[in-house]
Amino acid sequence: MADAAAYAAHKRRLYRILAIYVAGLLAFLGLLAWAEQRGLSRFWLGPIFMFSTVMIYAGIGIYGRTTDPEEYYVAGRRIPPMFNGMAAAADWMSAASFISMAGGLYLQGFGGNEAQAGGLAYVLGWTGGFCLVALLIAPHLRKLNLYTVPDYFGVRFGGRWPRVIAAFSAVVCSFTYVVAQIYGIGLIASRLTGVQFEIGILLGLGGVLLCSFLGGMKAITWTQVAQYVILLLAFLIPVSWLAYKQLGNPAAPLVYGTQLQKIAELEKKLAQDPAEKEVAAIYLKRAQEYEMRLQDVEAALQRERSAAQERIRALKAQGADSLQIVQANRALAALPKDAATARERWTRAMHEAQERSRPLGGLPPHSQAFAGDPNGTRAEKEAFSTSRLNFLALMFCLMVGTAGLPHLLTRYYTTPTVAEARSSVAWSLFFIALVYLSAPALAVLVKFEVMNNLVGSSFDALPSWIAQWGKVDASLISVADVNGDRILQWGEIRLGADMIMLATPELGGLPYVVSGLVAAGGLAAALSTADGLLLTISNAIVRDVYCHEINHHVTPEQRVILSKFALLAVALVAALVASLKPAEILPLVAASFSLAASAFVPVMVLGIFWARTSRAGAVAGMLSGLAVTVYYMLVNAPPFRAFTGLPPGGNLWFGIQPVSAGVFGVPMGFAMAATVSLLARRRP
């Protein structure tokens, strides 16, 4: 009875703190909005937002510092369900959900095409995955009072290899995921402060380390609660504002269907526009030129070099301006260094030009269910089948991957009881739905804003945010007067998925304070997930490998200290990889879900519900599932094919894109684990 009363008092205290925090945050936003109206420069608003929010997280991290293992690994197992749901939602809504999901819906529409699964697959897959977590995984793991996901494999199957393989798999999928988050951190920090992308990564990384390094799960949990409030406000304010501006009603999820009809009409108009057709013809010609170069790469590369050198000599002979000569030298230096690099680069450029030569610049109609036509020609039927298959495959991988992500499952170790673990999953779904229901609306509202107001503008009167985002990263936005008419066509603008949400306030003409809030929300989303991922990786390395396999004589306090230093080392390596910009956020995150789904879920589910599952079966299931997934991703990755000398193009099975490789790995894991378990002699 005394414990119940103390727990109830603890929850009342947390509610009061949360109310004070929300009120203070709203007052801070009001103060900055007032300061902007009074003339505070944008030059200061961005850094103020970044510094203030990072200091909030750092303050929580310092306040929650601990060396107690129970507090460091599972926050003392006393996080109430609602707060654990908020923390799980923040942990879940990474840079992919906040920054890139609306962008994926913008670029891919609801159903996508043969090469892209469609943005709705992300919404359905990620949301539906929590049903699997609640029904199959979270309550059963919470019963065991464990600290990490590899702990389960060690306890359930015994021996060294199930735990070691699980730890390795946790590192692989979490590292892929955390690279995407740190890329998002660099993107936002550089936009807020104006520093270089690489410096932005280091600035944001400082906030990550202050939270996770000092207090582990205890500090991370309360930091994620604070971050969820910021990212919720940052997402809902601009989408509600846009909906009110366009439709006179701020309830965006309820009213955006009107804009869908208008977008369909604008798409038909753009598809028939002569200027758009002219742009498409120019891109088709470029694609044909690249195709000719690829017929003899060595000779084409030599011609390009000779032409560039001849241009430099001609400019020098004419006594041209030094700036022109410098630009010509840069053009020469930018040419591919060898034939393999040229083949990869020109193949990519050819495919991009071919894509942009299609109607609507290669983007599928927004409300189209799937590409092709089930009742059309043979090619249209194949396109429809492939498009639908990719949609279902990606949705499957995201759902199953959700049930296997180590950093997410660890969240449900922190509740006091099994019943509250179930309750916290329900709260997680509620808090996630608040954002996920608005993401399709945001994509539609932004697309209407671009089609209706930006397309058709003069190149001399383009808004300044286009150039500013181009300076952050040229791949985020591409605007070029392809046909030379000085009018922006739909086919001449290409927005990256990673900037749709971040540029929404400026696109909609909102005050800059809202832009700062959106960037702070994106930073909160990336930081919250990066915290949990780095803790998962460091715990897997130290607790599950070093302390069990290398040095058994490590005290609990020493484990915590070693985990902190491993976390620091992993963070620096991840920052280095992210600085190379290996891919966009959404593909990286989706790949990590395929890895988690194939490595963990088959053996975890069989281990929970089938007593016959053996240690040998678990090892075979994890290794085979992970191997098939990694193989399929690598063999279809253009850099890997170029490096190994494989012909460009890839080797797709049933037309399924490599991001959904888990659709092959998961069945393989189930089949191998079950088969080996049945063949192995049953042990007590």
Side-chain angles (χ1 to χ4, degrees), residues 64-88:
R65 65 190 183 277
T66 182
T67 56
D68 178 77
E70 189 84 359
E71 295 283 355
Y72 187 85
Y73 290 118
V74 289
R77 301 192 201 277
R78 52 191 174 88
I79 306 299
M82 191 191 89
F83 292 93
N84 199 51
M86 292 177 76

Side-chain angles (χ1 to χ4, degrees), residues 279-298:
V279 170
I282 293 171
Y283 277 117
L284 182 60
K285 184 179 178 182
R286 290 183 184 178
Q288 291 168 347
E289 290 173 356
Y290 282 117
E291 190 175 12
M292 289 180 63
R293 290 186 197 178
L294 289 168
Q295 291 176 1
D296 190 345
V297 177
E298 292 278 4

